[in-house]
PDB file of all heavy atoms in Angstrom:
ATOM      1  N   ASN W  40      75.953  71.345 -56.162  1.00 90.00           N
ATOM      2  CA  ASN W  40      74.982  71.077 -55.094  1.00 90.00           C
ATOM      3  C   ASN W  40      74.666  69.590 -54.959  1.00 90.00           C
ATOM      4  O   ASN W  40      74.565  69.058 -53.852  1.00 90.00           O
ATOM      5  CB  ASN W  40      73.679  71.843 -55.366  1.00 90.00           C
ATOM      6  CG  ASN W  40      73.769  73.304 -54.976  1.00 90.00           C
ATOM      7  OD1 ASN W  40      74.845  73.776 -54.595  1.00 90.00           O
ATOM      8  ND2 ASN W  40      72.665  74.017 -55.093  1.00 90.00           N
ATOM      9  N   GLU W  41      74.479  68.911 -56.102  1.00 94.00           N
ATOM     10  CA  GLU W  41      74.126  67.495 -56.050  1.00 94.00           C
ATOM     11  C   GLU W  41      75.240  66.683 -55.407  1.00 94.00           C
ATOM     12  O   GLU W  41      74.984  65.788 -54.586  1.00 94.00           O
ATOM     13  CB  GLU W  41      73.832  66.972 -57.467  1.00 94.00           C
ATOM     14  CG  GLU W  41      72.504  67.448 -58.036  1.00 94.00           C
ATOM     15  CD  GLU W  41      71.316  66.958 -57.223  1.00 94.00           C
ATOM     16  OE1 GLU W  41      71.184  65.741 -57.025  1.00 94.00           O
ATOM     17  OE2 GLU W  41      70.516  67.808 -56.781  1.00 94.00           O
ATOM     18  N   ASP W  42      76.464  66.997 -55.763  1.00 95.00           N
ATOM     19  CA  ASP W  42      77.607  66.313 -55.155  1.00 95.00           C
ATOM     20  C   ASP W  42      77.671  66.613 -53.657  1.00 95.00           C
ATOM     21  O   ASP W  42      77.962  65.733 -52.846  1.00 95.00           O
ATOM     22  CB  ASP W  42      78.901  66.758 -55.842  1.00 95.00           C
ATOM     23  CG  ASP W  42      80.120  66.006 -55.331  1.00 95.00           C
ATOM     24  OD1 ASP W  42      80.012  64.792 -55.085  1.00 95.00           O
ATOM     25  OD2 ASP W  42      81.182  66.639 -55.190  1.00 95.00           O
ATOM     26  N   GLY W  43      77.354  67.856 -53.302  1.00 94.00           N
ATOM     27  CA  GLY W  43      77.336  68.234 -51.886  1.00 94.00           C
ATOM     28  C   GLY W  43      76.305  67.449 -51.100  1.00 94.00           C
ATOM     29  O   GLY W  43      76.563  66.988 -49.976  1.00 94.00           O
ATOM     30  N   MET W  44      75.126  67.283 -51.675  1.00 96.00           N
ATOM     31  CA  MET W  44      74.080  66.519 -50.987  1.00 96.00           C
ATOM     32  C   MET W  44      74.423  65.035 -50.949  1.00 96.00           C
ATOM     33  O   MET W  44      74.136  64.350 -49.965  1.00 96.00           O
ATOM     34  CB  MET W  44      72.733  66.748 -51.661  1.00 96.00           C
ATOM     35  CG  MET W  44      72.124  68.114 -51.381  1.00 96.00           C
ATOM     36  SD  MET W  44      71.950  68.472 -49.605  1.00 96.00           S
ATOM     37  CE  MET W  44      70.840  67.170 -49.063  1.00 96.00           C
ATOM     38  N   ASP W  45      75.054  64.507 -52.002  1.00 96.00           N
ATOM     39  CA  ASP W  45      75.476  63.103 -51.990  1.00 96.00           C
ATOM     40  C   ASP W  45      76.442  62.852 -50.828  1.00 96.00           C
ATOM     41  O   ASP W  45      76.303  61.861 -50.087  1.00 96.00           O
ATOM     42  CB  ASP W  45      76.164  62.733 -53.310  1.00 96.00           C
ATOM     43  CG  ASP W  45      75.187  62.617 -54.474  1.00 96.00           C
ATOM     44  OD1 ASP W  45      73.971  62.450 -54.219  1.00 96.00           O
ATOM     45  OD2 ASP W  45      75.652  62.700 -55.630  1.00 96.00           O
ATOM     46  N   LYS W  46      77.407  63.743 -50.669  1.00 97.00           N
ATOM     47  CA  LYS W  46      78.388  63.586 -49.597  1.00 97.00           C
ATOM     48  C   LYS W  46      77.737  63.783 -48.223  1.00 97.00           C
ATOM     49  O   LYS W  46      78.076  63.093 -47.249  1.00 97.00           O
ATOM     50  CB  LYS W  46      79.539  64.571 -49.793  1.00 97.00           C
ATOM     51  CG  LYS W  46      80.465  64.217 -50.957  1.00 97.00           C
ATOM     52  CD  LYS W  46      81.616  65.190 -51.070  1.00 97.00           C
ATOM     53  CE  LYS W  46      82.709  64.657 -52.001  1.00 97.00           C
ATOM     54  NZ  LYS W  46      82.298  64.513 -53.392  1.00 97.00           N
ATOM     55  N   THR W  47      76.780  64.706 -48.139  1.00 97.00           N
ATOM     56  CA  THR W  47      76.083  64.942 -46.873  1.00 97.00           C
ATOM     57  C   THR W  47      75.276  63.717 -46.458  1.00 97.00           C
ATOM     58  O   THR W  47      75.282  63.308 -45.288  1.00 97.00           O
ATOM     59  CB  THR W  47      75.154  66.160 -46.991  1.00 97.00           C
ATOM     60  OG1 THR W  47      75.925  67.324 -47.326  1.00 97.00           O
ATOM     61  CG2 THR W  47      74.418  66.424 -45.674  1.00 97.00           C
ATOM     62  N   LEU W  48      74.590  63.112 -47.412  1.00 97.00           N
ATOM     63  CA  LEU W  48      73.799  61.917 -47.120  1.00 97.00           C
ATOM     64  C   LEU W  48      74.696  60.768 -46.676  1.00 97.00           C
ATOM     65  O   LEU W  48      74.349  60.017 -45.751  1.00 97.00           O
ATOM     66  CB  LEU W  48      72.986  61.509 -48.345  1.00 97.00           C
ATOM     67  CG  LEU W  48      71.854  62.454 -48.752  1.00 97.00           C
ATOM     68  CD1 LEU W  48      71.296  62.058 -50.116  1.00 97.00           C
ATOM     69  CD2 LEU W  48      70.752  62.452 -47.718  1.00 97.00           C
ATOM     70  N   ALA W  49      75.853  60.628 -47.303  1.00 97.00           N
ATOM     71  CA  ALA W  49      76.784  59.565 -46.920  1.00 97.00           C
ATOM     72  C   ALA W  49      77.280  59.771 -45.496  1.00 97.00           C
ATOM     73  O   ALA W  49      77.390  58.817 -44.712  1.00 97.00           O
ATOM     74  CB  ALA W  49      77.960  59.531 -47.900  1.00 97.00           C
ATOM     75  N   ILE W  50      77.558  61.022 -45.130  1.00 97.00           N
ATOM     76  CA  ILE W  50      78.025  61.326 -43.769  1.00 97.00           C
ATOM     77  C   ILE W  50      76.918  61.097 -42.755  1.00 97.00           C
ATOM     78  O   ILE W  50      77.146  60.603 -41.643  1.00 97.00           O
ATOM     79  CB  ILE W  50      78.548  62.773 -43.708  1.00 97.00           C
ATOM     80  CG1 ILE W  50      79.808  62.915 -44.558  1.00 97.00           C
ATOM     81  CG2 ILE W  50      78.828  63.195 -42.261  1.00 97.00           C
ATOM     82  CD1 ILE W  50      80.241  64.347 -44.795  1.00 97.00           C
ATOM     83  N   ALA W  51      75.682  61.459 -43.134  1.00 96.00           N
ATOM     84  CA  ALA W  51      74.544  61.284 -42.222  1.00 96.00           C
ATOM     85  C   ALA W  51      74.312  59.816 -41.875  1.00 96.00           C
ATOM     86  O   ALA W  51      73.753  59.504 -40.819  1.00 96.00           O
ATOM     87  CB  ALA W  51      73.281  61.882 -42.837  1.00 96.00           C
ATOM     88  N   LYS W  52      74.753  58.920 -42.745  1.00 96.00           N
ATOM     89  CA  LYS W  52      74.602  57.480 -42.489  1.00 96.00           C
ATOM     90  C   LYS W  52      75.691  56.938 -41.579  1.00 96.00           C
ATOM     91  O   LYS W  52      75.615  55.807 -41.111  1.00 96.00           O
ATOM     92  CB  LYS W  52      74.606  56.720 -43.820  1.00 96.00           C
ATOM     93  CG  LYS W  52      73.419  57.055 -44.716  1.00 96.00           C
ATOM     94  CD  LYS W  52      73.537  56.376 -46.071  1.00 96.00           C
ATOM     95  CE  LYS W  52      72.380  56.776 -46.990  1.00 96.00           C
ATOM     96  NZ  LYS W  52      72.517  56.170 -48.341  1.00 96.00           N
ATOM     97  N   GLN W  53      76.727  57.762 -41.330  1.00 94.00           N
ATOM     98  CA  GLN W  53      77.829  57.347 -40.464  1.00 94.00           C
ATOM     99  C   GLN W  53      77.503  57.657 -39.002  1.00 94.00           C
ATOM    100  O   GLN W  53      76.629  58.470 -38.695  1.00 94.00           O
ATOM    101  CB  GLN W  53      79.122  58.049 -40.863  1.00 94.00           C
ATOM    102  CG  GLN W  53      79.565  57.793 -42.290  1.00 94.00           C
ATOM    103  CD  GLN W  53      80.748  58.658 -42.686  1.00 94.00           C
ATOM    104  OE1 GLN W  53      81.385  59.305 -41.855  1.00 94.00           O
ATOM    105  NE2 GLN W  53      81.051  58.656 -43.975  1.00 94.00           N
ATOM    106  N   ASP W  54      78.240  57.031 -38.109  1.00 90.00           N
ATOM    107  CA  ASP W  54      78.059  57.266 -36.677  1.00 90.00           C
ATOM    108  C   ASP W  54      79.137  58.239 -36.202  1.00 90.00           C
ATOM    109  O   ASP W  54      80.210  57.842 -35.748  1.00 90.00           O
ATOM    110  CB  ASP W  54      78.158  55.945 -35.911  1.00 90.00           C
ATOM    111  CG  ASP W  54      77.811  56.121 -34.432  1.00 90.00           C
ATOM    112  OD1 ASP W  54      77.176  57.139 -34.105  1.00 90.00           O
ATOM    113  OD2 ASP W  54      78.185  55.253 -33.627  1.00 90.00           O
TER     114      ASP W  54
END
Side-chain angles (χ1 to χ4, degrees):
N40 281 6
E41 287 297 305
D42 184 39
M44 286 305 299
D45 287 340
K46 288 182 166 65
T47 300
L48 292 170
I50 293 168
K52 295 175 183 177
Q53 301 172 11
D54 187 19

